[in-house]
Amino acid sequence: MKNIIFTVVSLLIIIPVISQNSQAQGDSLMLRKIYDMSLMQGKSYDWLDHLSNKIGGRLSGSYQAQQAVEYTKAELENIGLDKVWLQPVMVPKWTRGSKEFAYVETSPGTTRNVNITALGGSVATPAGGTKAPVIEVQGIEDLERYGKEQIKGKIVFFNRPMRPGLISTFEAYGGCVDQRYSGAAEAGKYGAAGVIVRSMNLRMDDYPHTGSMSYGETPVSQRIPAAAISTNDAAYLSGILKMNKDLKLYFKLNSEQHEDVQSYNVIGEITGSEYPEEIMVVGAHLDSWDIGDGAHDDGAGVVQSMEVLRLFKEIGYKPKRTIRVVLFMNEENGLRGGNKYAEVAKSKNEEHIFALESDAGGFTPRGFSFDADKAQFAQIQSWKGLFKPYLIHYFELGGSGADIGPLKQGDVVLAGLRPDSQRYFDHHHAANDTFEHVNKRELELGAATMASLVYLVDNYGIKRININTTEKL
């Protein structure tokens, strides 16, 4: 009798272990299929080639942005998704105009040209340009120290660099990007004639990096022009200022803000076979700045997100839940697409359980960051071993992505693909954010990594935390 009981108990222990091992083996084989398909029969690189080299920079409201909408919609239809549609959204339209020009004048008739680019949203200079003495500051907090007496009528030169000692380049970026975004609004309060901002770049080069800026509540008549200067020229200007406080800077911008125009989010989906009402999103932003072709920011994320759904179709995987690819419009200078998608989802009472965004470049994937509670994160971490053969080790709580951020409510889990970021800001918002700087294999690895996480979430669901009980979706 004791032997019978012992045998039954042993079987009860062994069967779940066998079941778990079988599940892990099945998941491992599925991930292998996904990676093989992406690396050997991928489409992401070809799609990016078209977006970058046939369409180019896709600033919101531009003809190129509309071309990108039409192209990606057609390609999603070619995949054979269950549904593809355009979601209308009004977006800002800002144009750069003819190429910017600037020089440093150390004495009458003695000048040296410097590389600048208008910040997105900046007003133009007067027709003849702006020429004034320069005052260098290390950040917005420095303005108060100098005061109106020393700033009025001068060009404020914000020269706080990204901190090279920080391993996280996004942390370094976050530590100084406020001078780009709010510098003109704050300097204008002290009577500044204009603003020049050191490019958000860890490398010393001649590429000025644009990016969005805001005047806040500043009346249009009181707005001052704002431009970024390359890191090499920022170093030159700072050095020469130490020797010659009387030098002047001339710069000319030809930018213009227009009325809002209609554009679209591009959306496609595979309908879930068991829980179609539960929606999972994978996405990126379709718009880019206009001075490069937006290959890393965020053409790479766009084609990786499209590839996730194509990979599932190619390997014959039928998801349990509805999986949507969303290509958001206007992340760079407004976030209108992300806000519109969340607004429509809420109005339709759609049940989103998970969203994954790729907006950190097409470099080698390292893992993911998650916006989730502890129980959900513990569940996700249990899958980490499946990614080890692909050298994916980074699973951390943290941010996700700007466009999916508005979806955050209740139990929704948000995630962001985290590629190696050390070279990202060499290209971010600059003229060298171009197709040739994207490595085909790195791009394809990122697409497969995203698809693998989406598969696991779809297959197992996400834990929902209620007040009285814990259950899986």
Side-chain angles (χ1 to χ4, degrees):
M1 185 68 176
K2 286 182 180 179
N3 289 338
I4 294 172
I5 292 171
F6 177 78
T7 303
V8 171
V9 171
S10 298
L11 286 171
L12 290 174
I13 293 170
I14 292 168
I15 289 170
V17 171
I18 293 172
S19 178
Q20 289 172 8
N21 288 340
S22 177
Q23 284 181 338
Q25 187 176 20
D27 292 336
S28 180
L29 290 172
M30 179 59 76
L31 265 60
R32 182 70 265 174
K33 276 187 186 179
I34 290 170
Y35 276 90
D36 283 350
M37 182 60 66
S38 184
L39 292 171
M40 293 189 282
Q41 298 181 51
K43 281 280 291 181
S44 56
Y45 196 66
D46 290 339
W47 282 333
L48 185 62
D49 186 5
H50 187 101
L51 270 181
S52 297
N53 295 319
K54 299 293 193 297
I55 296 176
R58 305 170 296 280
L59 190 57
S60 289
S62 68
Y63 173 65
Q64 290 82 1
Q66 181 58 30
Q67 281 185 303
V69 166
E70 294 168 3
Y71 172 69
T72 52
K73 178 177 182 287
E75 290 302 310
L76 289 176
E77 288 170 340
N78 289 340
I79 293 173
L81 303 182
D82 296 322
K83 187 178 179 184
V84 178
W85 71 100
L86 300 181
Q87 184 177 75
V89 55
M90 297 299 292
V91 300
K93 181 177 174 66
W94 175 85
T95 52
R96 184 174 302 280
S98 56
K99 185 172 173 55
E100 306 88 338
F101 178 70
Y103 62 76
V104 174
E105 182 182 79
T106 51
S107 62
T110 304
T111 64
R112 179 187 187 276
N113 292 355
V114 291
N115 295 287
I116 68 162
T117 187
L119 293 180
S122 175
V123 297
T125 57
T130 294
K131 185 177 180 181
V134 178
I135 181 168
E136 179 180 346
V137 301
Q138 291 300 305
I140 288 173
E141 61 281 356
D142 258 4
L143 296 173
E144 187 176 354
R145 181 161 67 91
Y146 289 103
K148 199 165 189 175
E149 239 179 57
Q150 297 184 63
I151 293 174
K152 188 174 183 181
K154 294 181 180 177
I155 294 170
V156 172
F157 169 37
F158 287 100
N159 193 33
R160 184 172 65 207
M162 292 175 66
R163 289 172 57 192
L166 294 172
I167 300 302
S168 169
T169 60
F170 282 89
E171 185 181 349
Y173 175 75
C176 59
V177 73
D178 63 334
Q179 62 191 351
R180 187 197 76 198
Y181 188 75
S182 303
E186 296 303 317
K189 296 174 184 177
Y190 293 87
V195 160
I196 296 290
V197 182
R198 181 190 182 96
S199 286
M200 305 291 109
N201 182 11
L202 284 159
R203 186 174 69 172
M204 300 302 296
D205 62 25
D206 295 320
Y207 293 103
H209 293 230
T210 190
S212 64
M213 52 87 67
S214 171
Y215 290 106
E217 301 301 317
T218 307
V220 175
S221 62
Q222 297 175 28
R223 295 177 181 180
I224 59 176
I229 186 170
S230 73
T231 48
N232 275 343
D233 287 326
Y236 163 75
L237 180 56
S238 180
I240 203 74
L241 267 171
K242 290 176 174 62
M243 297 184 287
N244 182 358
K245 299 289 185 187
D246 297 323
L247 66 77
K248 293 182 178 179
L249 177 73
Y250 170 87
F251 73 115
K252 189 174 189 306
L253 310 182
N254 304 286
S255 45
E256 185 177 355
Q257 189 69 49
H258 308 270
E259 294 293 324
D260 289 357
V261 299
Q262 183 170 289
S263 189
Y264 304 90
N265 291 330
V266 183
I267 307 172
E269 72 177 31
I270 301 173
T271 305
S273 59
E274 295 182 31
Y275 314 108
E277 73 285 354
E278 295 174 10
I279 299 168
M280 301 168 58
V281 165
V282 57
H285 64 87
L286 190 52
D287 62 306
S288 75
W289 286 105
D290 55 322
I291 57 176
D293 61 47
H296 275 297
D297 186 21
D298 187 24
V302 165
V303 298
Q304 286 172 333
S305 299
M306 294 167 64
E307 181 75 334
V308 169
L309 275 70
R310 191 194 75 87
L311 291 173
F312 289 157
K313 295 289 288 186
E314 288 295 321
I315 65 176
Y317 176 68
K318 299 185 187 305
K320 298 176 181 179
R321 294 161 174 84
T322 294
I323 300 177
R324 255 181 213 170
V325 56
V326 183
L327 309 180
F328 300 95
M329 184 57 69
N330 183 232
E331 186 271 349
E332 293 293 4
N333 59 337
L335 207 65
R336 302 277 186 90
N339 286 323
K340 172 58 73 172
Y341 180 81
E343 174 193 319
V344 172
K346 186 176 180 180
S347 71
K348 292 182 174 181
N349 292 316
E350 290 182 336
E351 183 183 1
H352 285 73
I353 67 164
F354 177 77
L356 169 63
E357 184 166 346
S358 173
D359 186 16
F363 300 101
T364 301
R366 297 298 186 204
F368 306 93
S369 60
F370 298 92
D371 184 351
D373 63 38
K374 289 182 180 179
Q376 291 167 334
F377 186 53
Q379 179 195 9
I380 291 164
Q381 280 190 308
S382 72
W383 304 329
K384 189 174 177 180
L386 291 166
F387 290 89
K388 191 175 180 181
Y390 308 99
L391 304 180
I392 306 298
H393 300 285
Y394 185 85
F395 278 58
E396 299 290 338
L397 287 171
S400 53
D403 281 306
I404 62 175
L407 286 172
K408 183 60 180 177
Q409 59 178 340
D411 302 307
V412 179
V413 171
L414 306 182
L417 178 69
R418 293 291 167 250
D420 188 297
S421 71
Q422 300 311 311
R423 291 172 288 148
Y424 181 61
F425 289 98
D426 295 352
H427 305 277
H428 185 245
H429 297 176
N432 65 339
D433 183 7
T434 49
F435 178 70
E436 65 267 25
H437 294 292
V438 177
N439 178 276
K440 180 177 183 289
R441 188 169 178 82
E442 291 178 336
L443 182 75
E444 292 167 346
L445 283 168
T449 300
M450 292 170 69
S452 296
L453 180 64
V454 171
Y455 156 74
L456 289 166
V457 174
D458 176 62
N459 197 42
Y460 294 103
I462 289 289
K463 285 187 177 179
R464 170 178 287 169
I465 308 304
N466 296 324
I467 295 174
N468 298 317
T469 187
T470 299
E471 61 182 31
K472 277 190 179 180
L473 283 171

